[in-house]
Amino acid sequence: MSLRLLCIIAHPDDECFAFGGALALAAARGIHTNVLCLTDGQAGSYRGDSNTPEQLGILRRSEFAASCDILGIRHHEILDYHDAQLEYAEFSKLAGELVQRIRVFRPHVVLTFGMDGAPNTHPDHTVVSAATTAAVHWAASPKRYKDLGPVHITQRLFHQTQNFFLEGRPQPLPSPWTLTLDIRSVFHQKIDAFRAHASQAPLLAQVLPVFEQHGQDEFYTLMATPHTQPAVQSTDLFEGIIE
Ligand SMILES: [Zn+2]
C-alpha cells in the first residue's frame, strides 16, 4: 500500500496551473495520485478549433489526460457537471459523489481550491472547494451517506492559496498559507502539463510571465486533520502521515 493523494478540481487545466507542482512532486515520491475533475470545460473562453461546446469538451478531455500523464497522475476522472454552472448543482448530490469516491480511494491527503476561487475568482472553484470540504468531513462521519461505503478519515485536507494577485482582475480573498511547497524541481513539468492543454495556449501565454515570477512555490492552507493542534508552517503535504 502506498500513500494516496486525491485532488478535486473544477476544470481541465486546474490540475496543472493550481496543483501541478504538488501532484508532480507526489508522483515522483511514488505516492498514488488521483485527480477528479467535475466538468469537461465546455464554457472555456479559448476554444481551439472546436465548433461546438461538445467538441470542446471532447478536446479538453484528451488534453486533460495528456496533462495528467505528464504530471505522473495514476488515476484521473472527469464527471459530467456543467462548466460555469457548478453553483447551481445540487449540493447534497455533488458532495455525495465526492464522499463515495473518497470512501473508495481512501486518500491520506486531499487537495482542492480555497473558497476565494483562486487567482481568477472563478465561482466553480469556490463550489468545488465547498463540496470537497464538506465531502472530506462527511466521508469521515458514520451518520452521513450510510449507503456509500465505510467511513474514511482523511489525514489532511489542504486548500490551495496564493502569495500574489493577477493584475487587472478582481482580487480574491485568499486564506493564509500554512504550507510552502518548493516546486522548482518540477516547475518545467508543471508548464509542460499546461502546454498539453493546446486549446488554452492563449491563456498560458498570459500567465506564463506570472508563473515565472511567482511560480517557484505553491502555497496551501491546512484545513482539517484528525488531531487538535495549533497552525504551524510546513513544507511537506505528507509530513507526519504514516501509511
Ligand atoms: Zn478552473
Side-chain angles (χ1 to χ4, degrees), residues 198-220:
S199 68
Q200 307 305 302
L203 179 63
L204 178 59
Q206 284 175 33
V207 300
L208 193 55
V210 180
F211 279 132
E212 283 170 345
Q213 186 180 355
H214 299 286
Q216 306 305 312
D217 299 289
E218 287 179 355
F219 296 88
Y220 295 91

Side-chain angles (χ1 to χ4, degrees), residues 16-213:
C16 53
F17 98 77
F19 304 97
L23 290 166
L25 283 172
R29 285 169 60 177
I31 290 164
H32 187 157
T33 51
N34 183 347
V35 177
L36 177 59
C37 183
L38 301 189
T39 83
D40 62 5
Q42 292 189 18
S45 304
Y46 301 107
R47 313 189 64 82
D49 53 11
S50 64
N51 294 314
T52 65
E54 293 73 24
Q55 283 179 7
L56 181 59
I58 291 166
L59 177 61
R60 298 197 71 185
R61 283 174 185 269
S62 68
E63 292 172 350
F64 173 69
S67 166
C68 286
D69 287 347
I70 291 168
L71 295 171
I73 292 160
R74 277 202 231 173
H75 185 268
H76 49 84
E77 179 182 9
I78 295 184
L79 302 185
D80 289 321
Y81 286 91
H82 292 294
D83 185 10
Q85 301 290 318
L86 276 182
E87 65 189 288
Y88 307 109
E90 210 262 289
F91 190 83
S92 182
K93 174 179 173 289
L94 170 56
E97 289 199 66
L98 304 184
V99 165
Q100 190 262 337
R101 283 165 177 79
I102 289 168
R103 287 180 178 170
V104 168
F105 183 62
R106 307 184 70 77
H108 298 84
V109 170
V110 173
L111 304 181
T112 193
F113 283 109
M115 287 294 289
D116 59 349
N120 62 350
T121 63
H122 197 304
D124 284 355
H125 297 163
T126 295
V127 175
V128 74
S129 177
T132 300
T133 302
V136 163
H137 290 285
W138 290 347
S141 169
K143 295 181 179 176
R144 301 289 299 164
Y145 298 94
K146 291 178 184 173
D147 56 345
L148 291 183
V151 299
H152 173 69
I153 298 170
T154 298
Q155 296 298 304
R156 306 275 188 277
L157 167 66
F158 289 99
H159 283 184
Q160 184 261 353
T161 188
Q162 61 200 53
N163 70 333
F164 65 90
F165 293 120
L166 294 175
E167 278 181 33
R169 298 253 200 169
Q171 282 190 9
L173 305 171
S175 58
W177 59 86
T178 63
L179 188 142
T180 306
L181 208 53
D182 179 344
I183 67 158
R184 283 173 295 178
S185 65
V186 295
F187 179 75
H188 287 286
Q189 221 175 324
K190 174 170 173 158
I191 300 303
D192 286 348
F194 209 143
R195 285 206 177 91
H197 294 273
S199 68
Q200 307 305 302
L203 179 63
L204 178 59
Q206 284 175 33
V207 300
L208 193 55
V210 180
F211 279 132
E212 283 170 345
Q213 186 180 355

Side-chain angles (χ1 to χ4, degrees), residues 217-230:
D217 299 289
E218 287 179 355
F219 296 88
Y220 295 91
T221 305
L222 179 60
M223 298 302 295
T225 81
H227 315 290
T228 57
Q229 62 184 70

